[in-house]
Amino acid sequence: ELLAWRRRVQMVFQDPFASLNARMSAADLIGEPWRTHRDVVPGAGAREKRIRELLDLVGLRAGDAHRYPNEFSGGQRQRIGIARALALDPDLVVCDEPVSALDLSVQAQVLNVLSDLRTRLGVTYVFISHDLSVVRHISDRVTVMYLGKVVEHGETDEVFETPRHPYTAALMSAAPVLHPGGGSRREEIQLRGEIPSPFDIPSGCRFRTRCPRAEERCASEAPPVAARGTADGGGPHTALCHFPLAAGSSWA
């Protein structure tokens, strides 16, 4: 049962250098999942055709199939990793910081490949990243975590424009924003104190030791899920906080 589930859920790893076996060609790397999931292995002729199709999907040439990882750039290696993840036609692909090890220009190319594949194949991504601009570009919904726990979840524009959890608001204020024409800037929020150890998590709200809005209740009670509807009638925008920020409210 677990093996069947794994076929439906694949992964693209953070490091395109370490995640590919240097002794295997691109064709062998892309076809590697078929060694485990033998019930979906295409025939000999179909296998080569499928590898060419996957290479084309991620923007590589059919002739690249016989090249080795050291012959590719970082962005090309990550494309091979994406092709390998798609070899089993999964429903879900977990992308663990898939562009953080790449140059900015290459990041944009790989993100465009991922966006195009999502549209063409109908695949769903769980996209893990610390880069807020990348998250906003690729995501339909955003989940914010602090010390291993979800603190806010909602549609991308709702979370970015009207964050409800103080930690999310602090994250958004830390992101650099270009203002070529002037205009208002997001209020800058500077958190004080050290991040608690995950081996000694604070009682009540995990964020209370760094939150200027914290009160005694935050130390004694775990925060409830505060939910509100979105402006366009979409899914709920939730935050785990005793005192969530209201839309348009200031930090204080």
Side-chain angles (χ1 to χ4, degrees):
E1 291 179 0
L2 184 58
L3 189 63
W5 180 83
R6 284 175 176 165
R7 188 176 68 195
R8 298 173 50 224
V9 181
Q10 292 293 294
M11 187 164 183
V12 177
F13 297 92
Q14 177 177 3
D15 190 343
F17 299 90
S19 60
L20 301 181
N21 189 330
R23 298 186 178 185
M24 297 173 66
S25 67
D28 290 335
L29 289 164
I30 294 172
E32 188 176 13
W34 297 329
R35 297 183 182 182
T36 301
H37 302 273
R38 296 186 178 277
D39 55 328
V40 293
V41 176
R47 185 179 186 275
E48 294 181 4
K49 179 182 178 181
R50 180 59 177 156
I51 289 174
R52 290 196 299 270
E53 290 175 349
L54 289 167
L55 285 170
D56 181 65
L57 272 176
V58 298
L60 294 176
R61 300 170 300 176
D64 293 328
H66 304 293
R67 297 169 62 192
Y68 287 81
N70 67 295
E71 300 178 77
F72 294 99
S73 66
Q76 290 173 325
R77 294 185 194 191
Q78 196 61 295
R79 291 170 189 253
I80 294 172
I82 295 170
R84 177 176 61 182
L86 297 175
L88 298 175
D89 295 319
D91 300 320
L92 176 70
V93 176
V94 179
C95 301
D96 180 16
E97 295 275 11
V99 297
S100 64
L102 306 176
D103 292 338
L104 285 178
S105 60
V106 180
Q107 284 186 18
Q109 296 171 15
V110 173
L111 287 173
N112 288 336
V113 168
L114 289 171
S115 297
D116 179 61
L117 292 174
R118 179 178 57 182
T119 303
R120 295 172 62 180
L121 305 179
V123 66
T124 298
Y125 299 132
V126 173
F127 194 95
I128 303 166
S129 179
H130 67 274
D131 189 325
L132 297 181
S133 61
V134 169
V135 170
R136 188 163 195 175
H137 175 75
I138 198 76
S139 304
D140 296 315
R141 298 186 66 81
V142 173
T143 296
V144 181
M145 300 186 71
Y146 182 79
L147 276 181
K149 189 176 184 64
V150 173
V151 296
E152 185 160 356
H153 177 76
E155 296 184 1
T156 301
D157 287 342
E158 287 280 337
V159 173
F160 273 80
E161 297 299 330
T162 57
R164 302 203 65 202
H165 196 281
Y167 175 62
T168 306
L171 282 180
M172 300 306 173
S173 76
V177 179
L178 293 177
H179 293 271
S184 61
R185 295 175 177 268
R186 188 188 294 271
E187 178 186 2
E188 183 177 357
I189 301 169
Q190 295 185 351
L191 299 178
R192 302 186 182 277
E194 297 294 329
I195 300 176
S197 168
F199 298 103
D200 187 21
I201 295 176
S203 61
C205 176
R206 301 183 178 208
F207 185 59
R208 65 174 177 81
T209 59
R210 306 180 71 203
C211 180
R213 295 169 61 90
E215 298 184 9
E216 292 184 7
R217 180 184 178 188
C218 301
S220 59
E221 300 178 26
V225 177
R228 74 174 180 213
T230 55
D232 59 359
H237 182 181
T238 61
L240 268 70
C241 185
H242 289 295
F243 310 104
L245 299 169
S249 66
S250 66
W251 172 256

